[in-house]
Amino acid sequence: MKVLITGAFGNIGLSTIEALVEQGDHVRCFDLKTKRNLRTFKKLKKKYGSLVDAYFGDITRVDEVREALLGTDAVIHLAYIIPKLSRTGLESERVPDIAYKVNVGGTRNLIEAMKTAGTPKKIIFTSSIHVYGVTQNLTPPRRADEPLNPIEHYSRHKVECEELIKASGLQWSIYRLAASMPIDLKINETLFEISLENRMEYVHTKDVGIALARGVHSTEIWNKILLIGGGPKCQYKYGEIVEKVLEGIGIGMFPKEAFSKQYFPTDWMDTEESERILRYQTRTIDDYVTDLKKALGFKIFFIKMFRPTIRYLLLKKSRYFPQKTIPFRILWRGYLRTLLGNP
């Protein structure tokens, strides 16, 4: 099978390419023609050869979408401007009009092109846990048939796209994803913007790739909304995730006073059906930390060596930390243990 992936060179896209190739599929990558994307495709081509090709274009241009579809059998639609950590450098909440044009307008273009092209007729769209809004007052887990309450531009776009796809007449499946952090994670002020008590389900990007790759061959996912998360073993409080990551890479956990008390639109999910069909839940947050350390490579040494300075620079980004002068004990906490290899 030849599968078109829109937004192929993002976090989930790269994992999906790997999973599709491993199961014997051919992949067409559709993304913007940037220097970074060209470098990424060059590496993929060297690794996978004829199993991958690319059509560089803009999803807001329907003629380019139509050309990218030629010769493909199914579509995995990932192209989207997200709130943070986007490879485009844009943030949906800062540029909502541009985001709407890409997110909703691009999805309309894709549907129109698929309906007129003859083939393909199958589309998997990645939505988000964000569509439920803030649900910390509700009993978990979240389920596919619950009411939606999107609170930001990003999630409102997702809801509108879900409706467009369901009404398209195509064979569709919608995956609502749990939190899936990129392995090249960059830590900034957004780290502090979520309550440590916020329920959050994690799913490894490679497990999402497996779920998407297996979905294109499934007979059970079509015309269904599936929740894609790591499962019970990946259901944490936000503070637990942050601590595992920060301690794992040598920075160390920050004091609770540095974090917001505001809840965020994430929660635990009922993934029983998606796991039964797709069998994708293979990793945990500990695997993520291992992968992150491997990606950082020699930088881990410098993180540990300059831990107090890094902690100072990051804490200064928190708008919640009450002290203008950061105490010595907070900056140097765990420094010797970390240097000795026991963070």
Side-chain angles (χ1 to χ4, degrees):
M1 182 178 285
K2 187 156 192 174
V3 182
L4 174 71
I5 304 178
T6 71
F9 301 128
N11 171 34
I12 302 298
L14 292 173
S15 295
T16 307
I17 292 168
E18 179 182 344
L20 284 166
V21 170
E22 285 183 356
Q23 70 183 20
D25 293 308
H26 290 68
V27 182
R28 173 165 298 155
C29 307
F30 180 71
D31 215 323
L32 294 170
K33 191 174 186 178
T34 65
K35 289 182 179 179
R36 183 174 183 176
N37 287 345
L38 286 167
R39 286 196 302 270
T40 299
F41 178 65
K42 186 176 180 180
K43 291 177 183 177
L44 290 169
K45 196 69 177 173
K46 184 176 181 180
K47 184 175 182 180
Y48 298 126
S50 61
L51 291 175
V52 296
D53 63 57
Y55 184 96
F56 290 99
D58 188 337
I59 199 166
T60 65
R61 298 174 180 170
V62 69
D63 56 326
E64 294 183 2
V65 178
R66 191 174 288 113
E67 288 182 30
L69 286 168
L70 294 175
T72 62
D73 304 298
V75 175
I76 296 174
H77 180 29
L78 306 176
Y80 230 75
I81 294 178
I82 60 178
K84 298 287 181 182
L85 304 177
S86 172
R87 292 190 70 167
T88 65
L90 299 174
E91 298 178 3
S92 59
E93 306 314 291
R94 292 181 181 271
V95 289
D97 292 341
I98 295 174
Y100 187 87
K101 183 178 179 181
V102 172
N103 296 346
V104 180
T107 301
R108 278 202 189 96
N109 286 345
L110 181 57
I111 291 169
E112 179 185 336
M114 289 180 70
K115 290 172 73 172
T116 58
T119 58
K121 293 300 184 186
K122 293 181 177 180
I123 180 171
I124 302 175
F125 172 65
T126 51
S127 188
S128 170
I129 183 67
H130 281 237
V131 297
Y132 296 103
V134 174
T135 55
Q136 299 300 302
N137 61 315
L138 302 177
T139 301
R142 304 280 63 79
R143 304 181 189 280
D145 59 356
E146 288 186 27
L148 307 183
N149 184 32
I151 62 171
E152 75 261 88
H153 296 291
Y154 166 73
S155 54
R156 288 193 286 269
H157 297 173
K158 288 291 190 186
V159 171
E160 188 168 347
C161 289
E162 285 191 13
E163 293 304 313
L164 288 170
I165 286 169
K166 286 190 287 186
S168 67
L170 300 169
Q171 207 170 7
W172 58 267
S173 185
I174 293 167
Y175 286 15
R176 291 179 183 156
L177 306 186
S180 184
M181 301 168 294
I183 293 172
D184 61 346
L185 180 66
K186 295 176 176 60
I187 300 173
N188 56 34
E189 65 277 2
T190 60
L191 171 74
F192 303 105
E193 295 299 324
I194 305 173
S195 166
L196 295 175
E197 294 301 311
N198 203 116
R199 291 188 301 269
M200 182 176 287
E201 183 158 341
Y202 168 75
V203 61
H204 197 290
T205 175
K206 290 185 180 296
D207 283 353
V208 179
I210 291 170
L212 288 163
R214 292 182 177 170
V216 296
H217 291 281
S218 173
T219 59
E220 293 188 65
I221 71 164
W222 305 110
N223 301 325
K224 286 183 180 179
I225 296 172
L226 297 174
L227 303 189
I228 305 294
K233 67 182 182 299
C234 292
Q235 293 175 347
Y236 302 97
K237 297 293 183 68
Y238 176 66
E240 295 175 291
I241 293 178
V242 172
E243 185 169 11
K244 281 179 176 289
V245 173
L246 293 181
E247 294 289 351
I249 63 176
I251 293 174
M253 185 58 175
F254 293 110
K256 63 181 181 181
E257 294 81 9
F259 294 86
S260 170
K261 291 181 169 41
Q262 294 295 314
Y263 287 126
F264 190 71
T266 63
D267 208 333
W268 301 342
M269 307 166 74
D270 178 0
T271 60
E272 184 177 349
E273 183 179 27
S274 66
E275 171 61 8
R276 177 186 63 78
I277 296 171
L278 300 167
R279 298 296 178 190
Y280 63 95
Q281 294 172 345
T282 67
R283 297 170 176 85
T284 68
I285 192 69
D286 295 319
D287 295 297
Y288 173 78
V289 173
T290 299
D291 291 341
L292 186 58
K293 289 166 71 174
K294 184 178 179 181
L296 287 169
F298 70 90
K299 294 177 185 176
I300 288 286
F301 170 78
F302 293 102
I303 290 172
K304 292 179 178 180
M305 180 65 68
F306 297 102
R307 174 178 170 129
T309 302
I310 293 170
R311 287 175 63 78
Y312 173 81
L313 293 173
L314 287 174
L315 265 179
K316 294 298 285 185
K317 293 178 180 293
S318 169
R319 57 194 178 115
Y320 306 102
F321 195 66
Q323 302 177 46
K324 292 183 179 179
T325 303
I326 302 174
F328 181 88
R329 61 180 172 78
I330 291 176
L331 296 179
W332 289 80
R333 184 184 75 80
Y335 181 61
L336 290 178
R337 285 189 292 107
T338 301
L339 283 182
L340 294 173
N342 183 26

